[in-house]
Amino acid sequence: MAAQSKPDLVLASVRRLLRVGATANLLNLLQKRHPVDIAELLRALNDHERRAAVDALAGADPRLAMQVVAELGVDVGAAVLASRPASDIVRLLQELAPDDAAALIDHFPEALADQVRDLMHGQQPSAEITEVLENPEGTAGRIMNPRVFALPDETTVEEAVKAIQQLGGVEMSFYLYVIDERRHLVGVVSLRRLLLVPPQAMLKHIMTTDVISVGIDTPQEEVAKKVSSYHLLAVPVVDDENKLVGTVTVDDIIEVIRDTTTEEFQRLGGLEALDEPYVRTPLLTLVKKRARWLVVLFLGEMLTATAMGYFEREISRAVVLALFVPLIISSGGNSGSQAASLIIRALAVGEVTLHDWWRIMRREVLSGLALGCILGSVGFVRVSLWQQLFGTYGANWFLIALTVLFALVGVVMWGTIAGSMLPFVMKRLGADPATSSAPFVATLVDVTGLVIYFTVAATILRGTLL
Amino acid sequence: MAAQSKPDLVLASVRRLLRVGATANLLNLLQKRHPVDIAELLRALNDHERRAAVDALAGADPRLAMQVVAELGVDVGAAVLASRPASDIVRLLQELAPDDAAALIDHFPEALADQVRDLMHGQQPSAEITEVLENPEGTAGRIMNPRVFALPDETTVEEAVKAIQQLGGVEMSFYLYVIDERRHLVGVVSLRRLLLVPPQAMLKHIMTTDVISVGIDTPQEEVAKKVSSYHLLAVPVVDDENKLVGTVTVDDIIEVIRDTTTEEFQRLGGLEALDEPYVRTPLLTLVKKRARWLVVLFLGEMLTATAMGYFEREISRAVVLALFVPLIISSGGNSGSQAASLIIRALAVGEVTLHDWWRIMRREVLSGLALGCILGSVGFVRVSLWQQLFGTYGANWFLIALTVLFALVGVVMWGTIAGSMLPFVMKRLGADPATSSAPFVATLVDVTGLVIYFTVAATILRGTLL
């Protein structure tokens, strides 16, 4: 609670200082905070106030201002900058790492983005930004920082330390990359190792030559997998001739993991990935991305009306059959959703591969059978109990209870198998397994579940109710 | 494909060398690889081969052997070690960071774990392991490395560099933590900064005093949030007196993020979090964790039979009403699943907070209305079309089409609102929003959807079909 109230007080001060135009006091209050915390404060302001606060910061400390803008995220960050003249934007963007600057430009309105790009053309640090923008989205090249610090392999440790000391403001990570005379990546030295070796040693003698790197076109998800499985803090990016062109750091990777997860969640919920945060997605886009799959599912689900049409005669003779339709098909859908979620996730983290389908199949057949028997028994008890208590189902109650029991065993087993195998089929076809999400499994199982249910009913009730 | 076949060749060699007992050749082949890659190879072996390979490594290079064991993951890693004598295990565990060792001990059979703990008791490096094990699961203390390198604030840079150089094998991260005489955490210096300042400067004059730290009891998810939002490579862990007790590094954080995501996925699919990888979960546990929620959902879904019972008279008069039941309730379920997945994820990444519920509500009412109108129109067209083509629905087809249209608008809107608001209700009650997963929303919407459908039908069809 205390943690909640303190930022609220600071927020109130920021608002007041903005209102009275007390820029010096405002700067005094903001500058002693971490950019992340300033961004947190700014996020709670309205657009007008936020722009005024960034203006104040940009006048006094452009670097801090841009760190804050970067922390605001690309959507809000781009919106805050967009009202400034393009030349001013170009100047401010120099304060950022080229990958962060590129991401912001990507989120400007088209006309402004073009203007900014034109102004940047040819200028040295800006050229790096344009370079990053030329790489396709979703690749290592698009999230790398091209401003990478590297030294030739004949440099001595003493010279390397001096070079690092002269870096000044330039961002330098925890690894020193070693290149040959044609900028090929040949090794890596950790900063700590640099402290541990004699100053006269040459980098080529102390470096690790077995460098783990990624290509400029490597998909971001693969970069994430590499960084996390080898426990790296940064990974060098090379072009197809093994020339060093940039680095991707572990904090970019955490972003990638988060975004990928969000997309998987959305697919699992049966809609297209939004690409943008939910709250920033325009309502029309939101409806469009949801409507497309909903309509597809709806068209599939129409088959239930057709399927039930075939059993219209049975239903009119025994209306009691209709009463259990939702219960039975949803049990199939729920067990299918469970199985699908389990397998989709296991495939996503690489715990299970395509080769395992047969092993999983056997496991899921058994699970489905067990779950079907459990639900079937509960269903049997329900019908029997209602009969004893209220006499709901008449003379044939036992046959109805049996129908519910066997239909549930069949439907739950089938739902479990379909839910667990569909992700494999998707992956085999080269699609994202998450596309075989819960709603898809439910729709598939609804139609077939009806057929299972009425077939069981026809078999058991023939000659009595039917 | 080439990437696939090369490890296969290596794997075949490993198998062959193990079979003929050519330990020297095996070591030669393994030792030049990264522990991650060795673990990858070992994962493809059977239990017996894997143990033999680790035996060979442990004899020649215990550190490498244990790095490989750590990479195998706690389940497989613990299984590989468990056949050794306890004293041998204790010796080997010293090669690991205490947090990794503690995680392995946690996964030994109970008796062995006790034996190992007893043997470790009192020994210095082992004491650190027991210390980690004393912290509750899910806290920073349980994933921290207690072997943290820190220096007093009166140390000079020159002395600090010397101290780092003498560290030898001990793991040292990218930050040098600074403590006062009573081990309170007072500052931090990056390795790079150490290279940039005059050797005579004292740490207390060059350190950053505004250190971001976490408490020993801080939940792992919060540690993850802090590390990722401040872009840290490691975060110091302090006790309640602000004394430095360990560090958590960013690679541990990636593990936490991955595990949390897996749990959220499983909850979203309507089952209890497995705690273990799917393939390692015993079948009985799997069935138990799935059955519990499935039965709860089934009991809820039983209300559909009750609800439909109320409309038994209507159904027996107009069987055509029953035909659309699955279509209409599943549309509500699907639109609800979409909304729930979106909001659960937005809450999880902190994009949306409890305060936003009213804003989201308004947005989702509009989305639901739009989606309902789209599906309703498709449904209307379907009924009309079938009527023109096959004359399926007789004289009252237009009223039936209208019933389907309005029922869909109502059900989809209601599904969307329920799906988007339930996560807020869960969070407000202090539960995980993911518990209001797709299957729960579907079950809730199924029952109410039936009531909406039959009420609409009763209103429109009164006097004609009913």
Side-chain angles (χ1 to χ4, degrees):
Chain A
M1 290 303 104
Q4 193 72 36
S5 66
K6 210 186 144 218
D8 281 355
L9 274 179
V10 177
L11 186 63
S13 308
V14 169
R15 282 223 161 96
R16 194 171 38 77
L17 294 173
L18 278 169
R19 211 166 37 238
V20 301
T23 309
N25 293 353
L26 178 69
L27 286 173
N28 192 25
L29 187 146
L30 292 181
Q31 277 181 314
K32 61 183 173 205
R33 280 160 214 280
H34 192 285
V36 171
D37 300 320
I38 305 179
E40 188 65 40
L41 279 169
L42 263 53
R43 230 176 259 128
L45 300 176
N46 66 36
D47 292 354
H48 178 78
E49 293 169 327
R50 197 181 299 130
R51 217 168 288 137
V54 171
D55 277 352
L57 277 175
D61 186 345
R63 165 147 302 169
L64 179 62
M66 291 310 288
Q67 284 174 339
V68 172
V69 167
E71 289 304 331
L72 281 171
V74 281
D75 298 290
V76 185
V80 166
L81 289 183
S83 61
R84 296 173 161 266
S87 58
D88 193 31
I89 295 179
V90 171
R91 185 180 57 82
L92 286 173
L93 286 178
Q94 318 284 3
E95 302 288 346
L96 287 179
D99 50 335
D100 295 334
L104 282 172
I105 297 175
D106 256 356
H107 283 75
F108 285 150
E110 205 54 59
L112 179 62
D114 288 343
Q115 219 181 331
V116 168
R117 271 192 221 102
D118 281 350
L119 277 172
M120 285 185 153
H121 206 73
Q123 293 182 39
Q124 184 35 36
S126 312
E128 294 172 338
I129 302 177
T130 357
E131 213 174 276
V132 168
L133 278 173
E134 273 162 14
N135 295 311
E137 279 188 49
T139 63
R142 194 61 171 258
I143 51 166
M144 74 182 185
N145 184 348
R147 219 175 278 170
V148 48
F149 182 67
L151 289 171
D153 55 357
E154 309 233 313
T155 314
T156 64
V157 168
E158 196 170 18
E159 289 164 342
V161 170
K162 254 192 211 121
I164 293 171
Q165 287 172 339
Q166 276 157 13
L167 268 178
V170 178
E171 208 184 314
M172 140 101 204
S173 64
F174 354 94
Y175 303 122
L176 169 62
Y177 297 106
V178 187
I179 47 178
D180 67 11
E181 68 286 354
R182 288 174 51 222
R183 213 180 158 78
H184 294 119
L185 178 65
V186 293
V188 62
V189 179
S190 73
L191 272 196
R192 178 174 166 231
R193 181 137 178 80
L194 222 49
L195 289 173
L196 286 174
V197 290
Q200 289 73 35
M202 261 198 259
L203 292 185
K204 67 173 168 188
H205 296 128
I206 61 158
M207 70 190 185
T208 306
T209 53
D210 192 15
V211 198
I212 293 156
S213 63
V214 296
I216 195 162
D217 295 325
T218 306
Q220 289 173 10
E221 285 83 0
E222 266 179 51
V223 181
K225 231 168 230 175
K226 212 156 203 175
V227 167
S228 68
S229 58
Y230 289 98
H231 313 295
L232 304 173
L233 299 169
V235 65
V237 184
V238 294
D239 65 12
D240 33 1
E241 290 173 28
N242 195 33
K243 285 186 183 165
L244 181 65
V245 292
T247 54
V248 173
T249 45
V250 72
D251 55 325
D252 298 320
I253 289 306
I254 290 183
E255 289 295 306
V256 170
I257 292 177
R258 183 165 295 164
D259 289 350
T260 314
T261 309
T262 300
E263 282 179 24
E264 277 172 17
F265 251 80
Q266 291 170 352
R267 292 226 182 80
L268 197 68
L271 70 161
E272 289 171 58
L274 292 190
D275 303 330
E276 276 178 284
Y278 167 79
V279 281
R280 308 237 144 237
T281 309
L283 195 61
L284 193 68
T285 315
L286 197 63
V287 170
K288 242 197 286 182
K289 298 230 168 190
R290 288 156 77 162
R292 220 168 299 177
W293 278 129
L294 266 190
V295 169
V296 171
L297 292 171
F298 187 77
L299 294 176
E301 198 70 43
M302 272 182 184
L303 292 173
T304 57
T306 313
M308 278 188 82
Y310 282 105
F311 301 105
E312 204 171 340
R313 207 179 49 92
E314 281 81 357
I315 298 170
S316 61
R317 282 204 200 168
V319 172
V320 67
L321 285 182
L323 307 189
F324 293 105
V325 162
L327 178 67
I328 285 171
I329 62 177
S330 72
S331 301
N334 288 341
S335 50
S337 298
Q338 283 191 342
S341 311
L342 277 176
I343 303 300
I344 290 168
R345 184 62 190 164
L347 280 167
V349 299
E351 206 185 274
V352 153
T353 66
L354 272 183
H355 300 285
D356 296 315
W357 77 269
W358 177 235
R359 197 155 60 97
I360 306 294
M361 170 83 144
R362 282 174 307 186
R363 232 171 123 83
E364 288 299 309
V365 167
L366 287 178
S367 302
L369 184 63
L371 294 170
C373 290
I374 295 172
L375 293 198
S377 314
V378 178
F380 185 89
V381 170
R382 158 67 157 76
V383 174
S384 315
L385 204 65
W386 256 237
Q387 175 61 25
Q388 305 310 320
L389 294 174
F390 317 109
T392 323
Y393 303 109
N396 290 305
W397 71 269
F398 184 71
L399 293 182
I400 294 173
L402 272 191
T403 303
V404 169
L405 167 62
F406 286 113
L408 279 169
V409 173
V411 167
V412 169
M413 252 191 93
W414 165 238
T416 305
I417 297 170
S420 57
M421 289 300 113
L422 215 58
F424 284 100
V425 175
M426 286 293 166
K427 181 134 194 182
R428 190 75 194 72
L429 296 176
D432 180 345
T435 312
S436 53
S437 57
F440 281 82
V441 171
T443 299
L444 176 70
V445 173
D446 278 1
V447 182
T448 41
L450 281 173
V451 177
I452 294 177
Y453 174 43
F454 282 105
T455 310
V456 170
T459 313
I460 295 184
L461 301 176
R462 175 86 50 225
T464 54
L465 277 175
L466 298 179
Chain B
M1 290 304 103
Q4 192 70 39
S5 66
K6 211 187 144 216
D8 282 354
L9 273 178
V10 178
L11 186 62
S13 309
V14 170
R15 284 223 161 93
R16 194 171 36 78
L17 295 172
L18 278 169
R19 211 166 39 237
V20 300
T23 309
N25 293 352
L26 179 69
L27 285 173
N28 193 25
L29 187 145
L30 291 180
Q31 276 182 314
K32 61 183 174 205
R33 279 161 214 281
H34 192 284
V36 171
D37 300 321
I38 304 179
E40 188 65 41
L41 278 168
L42 262 54
R43 230 173 260 129
L45 300 176
N46 66 35
D47 292 353
H48 178 77
E49 293 170 327
R50 198 181 299 130
R51 217 168 287 136
V54 171
D55 276 351
L57 276 175
D61 185 346
R63 165 146 302 168
L64 179 62
M66 290 310 287
Q67 282 173 339
V68 172
V69 167
E71 289 303 331
L72 282 172
V74 279
D75 299 291
V76 185
V80 165
L81 289 184
S83 61
R84 294 172 164 269
S87 59
D88 193 31
I89 295 178
V90 171
R91 185 180 56 82
L92 286 172
L93 285 178
Q94 318 284 1
E95 302 289 346
L96 288 179
D99 50 337
D100 295 333
L104 281 171
I105 297 175
D106 255 355
H107 283 75
F108 286 149
E110 206 53 60
L112 179 62
D114 287 343
Q115 217 181 330
V116 168
R117 272 192 220 101
D118 282 349
L119 277 173
M120 286 186 152
H121 207 74
Q123 293 182 39
Q124 182 37 33
S126 312
E128 294 171 339
I129 302 178
T130 356
E131 211 174 278
V132 168
L133 277 174
E134 273 163 14
N135 295 309
E137 278 188 51
T139 63
R142 195 61 172 257
I143 50 166
M144 74 181 185
N145 184 347
R147 219 174 278 169
V148 50
F149 182 68
L151 289 172
D153 55 357
E154 309 231 315
T155 315
T156 64
V157 169
E158 198 170 16
E159 290 165 343
V161 169
K162 251 188 216 126
I164 293 172
Q165 286 171 341
Q166 277 157 12
L167 269 178
V170 178
E171 207 183 317
M172 140 103 202
S173 65
F174 352 95
Y175 303 119
L176 169 61
Y177 296 106
V178 187
I179 47 178
D180 66 12
E181 68 284 356
R182 289 174 50 221
R183 212 180 160 79
H184 294 118
L185 178 64
V186 293
V188 62
V189 179
S190 74
L191 271 196
R192 178 172 167 235
R193 182 140 178 78
L194 223 48
L195 290 173
L196 285 173
V197 289
Q200 287 73 35
M202 259 198 259
L203 291 185
K204 68 172 167 187
H205 295 127
I206 61 156
M207 70 190 185
T208 305
T209 52
D210 192 13
V211 197
I212 293 156
S213 64
V214 296
I216 196 161
D217 294 326
T218 306
Q220 288 174 9
E221 286 83 0
E222 264 179 53
V223 182
K225 232 169 231 177
K226 212 156 202 174
V227 167
S228 68
S229 57
Y230 290 98
H231 313 296
L232 303 173
L233 297 170
V235 65
V237 183
V238 293
D239 64 12
D240 32 0
E241 290 173 28
N242 196 34
K243 284 186 182 163
L244 181 66
V245 292
T247 55
V248 174
T249 46
V250 72
D251 54 324
D252 298 320
I253 288 308
I254 290 183
E255 290 296 306
V256 170
I257 293 178
R258 183 167 294 162
D259 289 350
T260 315
T261 310
T262 300
E263 282 180 22
E264 277 173 15
F265 251 80
Q266 291 169 352
R267 293 226 181 81
L268 198 67
L271 71 161
E272 287 171 59
L274 291 190
D275 303 330
E276 275 179 285
Y278 167 79
V279 281
R280 308 235 147 240
T281 309
L283 195 63
L284 193 69
T285 315
L286 198 62
V287 170
K288 241 197 283 179
K289 298 229 169 192
R290 287 156 80 160
R292 218 167 303 176
W293 279 129
L294 220 45
V295 168
V296 171
L297 291 171
F298 187 78
L299 294 176
E301 198 71 42
M302 272 182 184
L303 292 173
T304 58
T306 313
M308 276 188 85
Y310 283 106
F311 301 105
E312 204 170 342
R313 205 179 51 91
E314 280 82 355
I315 298 171
S316 62
R317 282 205 200 169
V319 172
V320 66
L321 284 181
L323 306 190
F324 292 104
V325 161
L327 178 66
I328 286 172
I329 62 176
S330 72
S331 301
N334 288 341
S335 50
S337 299
Q338 284 192 341
S341 311
L342 277 176
I343 303 300
I344 290 168
R345 183 63 189 162
L347 280 168
V349 300
E351 207 185 272
V352 155
T353 65
L354 272 183
H355 299 284
D356 296 315
W357 77 270
W358 177 235
R359 198 156 60 98
I360 306 295
M361 170 82 145
R362 281 175 306 187
R363 232 171 121 86
E364 288 298 308
V365 167
L366 287 176
S367 302
L369 185 62
L371 294 169
C373 290
I374 294 171
L375 292 196
S377 312
V378 178
F380 185 88
V381 169
R382 158 66 158 78
V383 174
S384 314
L385 204 65
W386 256 237
Q387 175 61 23
Q388 304 310 319
L389 293 175
F390 317 109
T392 323
Y393 303 109
N396 290 305
W397 70 270
F398 184 71
L399 292 181
I400 295 172
L402 271 190
T403 302
V404 169
L405 167 63
F406 285 113
L408 279 169
V409 173
V411 168
V412 170
M413 252 190 91
W414 166 238
T416 305
I417 297 170
S420 56
M421 289 300 113
L422 214 58
F424 283 100
V425 175
M426 286 294 169
K427 180 134 193 181
R428 190 72 194 75
L429 297 176
D432 180 346
T435 312
S436 52
S437 56
F440 281 83
V441 171
T443 299
L444 176 70
V445 173
D446 277 1
V447 182
T448 41
L450 282 172
V451 178
I452 294 177
Y453 174 44
F454 282 105
T455 309
V456 170
T459 313
I460 295 184
L461 299 176
R462 177 83 53 228
T464 54
L465 277 175
L466 299 179

